[in-house]
Amino acid sequence: MNRLTVDEFRRSEKLPLVVVLDDVRSMYNVGSVFRTGDAFRIESVCLCGISATPPATEIHKTALGAEDSVEWSYHADAVAAVDELHRRGYEVYAVEQAEGSTMLSDFTFDASRRYAVVLGNEVKGVHQEVIDRCDGCIEIPQYGTKHSMNVSVTAGIIIYAFNDALRKG
């Protein structure tokens, strides 16, 4: 199936995308983000606050080893992570329903830029102080009775959209 080894993955060209998890409480969601991140070869995952870090059995259960291939870092809070990403030249967007947010379908991707997206806590979302530090908010349209999605599902949609747009660009 032409799968990369972990060493080949680490040396491979990456999608210019970092996923920041802001107080994601479920280790299964963290693991799922690693696995999706591996599938699309994102640059890294930044775990913040109460988000668990590898090694952890629960992360491994959904990551299936992707926690070993995808680079990751830890910050005590997501504000510090966003500030560091800005210093490193990333555009940072919170994935959140907020006044003035840009619908994902209307977001303008630029293949010459590097991006980071912040995904929030399963109940409270992205902290407001983190949103305030971001370059904007991206919103996934929703048409049902619920106005939220599981964070790992959101990650999959967002990572796929960035992959689709940036690899074409």
Side-chain angles (χ1 to χ4, degrees):
M1 295 194 64
N2 290 332
R3 295 185 195 268
L4 299 175
T5 66
V6 171
D7 288 337
E8 289 169 332
F9 181 95
R10 289 186 179 151
R11 291 190 309 268
S12 67
E13 184 177 342
K14 304 294 187 296
L15 181 68
L17 180 66
V18 173
V19 175
V20 178
L21 299 182
D22 179 16
D23 280 345
V24 172
R25 65 184 178 176
S26 166
M27 286 190 257
Y28 299 115
N29 283 334
V30 172
S32 181
V33 170
F34 271 103
R35 192 165 164 190
T36 302
D38 176 280
F40 291 99
R41 272 193 278 151
I42 67 170
E43 285 185 18
S44 66
V45 174
C46 182
L47 304 165
C48 302
I50 67 167
S51 302
T53 61
T57 302
E58 293 87 350
I59 291 173
H60 182 74
K61 187 171 185 171
T62 51
L64 295 178
E67 72 276 27
D68 298 325
S69 57
V70 176
E71 294 290 324
W72 63 271
S73 60
Y74 176 79
H75 286 82
D77 66 80
V79 169
V82 169
D83 289 346
E84 179 182 315
L85 287 161
H86 276 138
R87 282 192 300 276
R88 292 173 44 205
Y90 287 84
E91 286 189 26
V92 184
Y93 293 90
V95 180
E96 191 61 75
Q97 297 169 357
E99 198 167 316
S101 64
T102 301
M103 288 297 168
L104 180 58
S105 58
D106 297 329
F107 187 78
T108 303
F109 295 89
D110 182 342
S112 70
R113 297 182 183 197
R114 298 186 323 167
Y115 293 98
V117 290
V118 182
L119 305 174
N121 176 274
E122 292 89 340
V123 175
K124 298 178 182 179
V126 179
H127 289 96
Q128 185 61 51
E129 61 270 18
V130 176
I131 291 171
D132 293 343
R133 288 291 234 283
C134 289
D135 297 298
C137 289
I138 298 172
E139 185 173 337
I140 299 171
Q142 298 173 51
Y143 306 102
T145 62
K146 303 299 174 202
H147 293 282
S148 66
M149 288 186 278
N150 178 278
V151 68
S152 65
V153 172
T154 299
I157 292 167
I158 290 292
I159 292 169
Y160 179 83
F162 273 78
N163 177 77
D164 192 50
L166 296 176
R167 292 207 195 269
K168 285 179 186 174

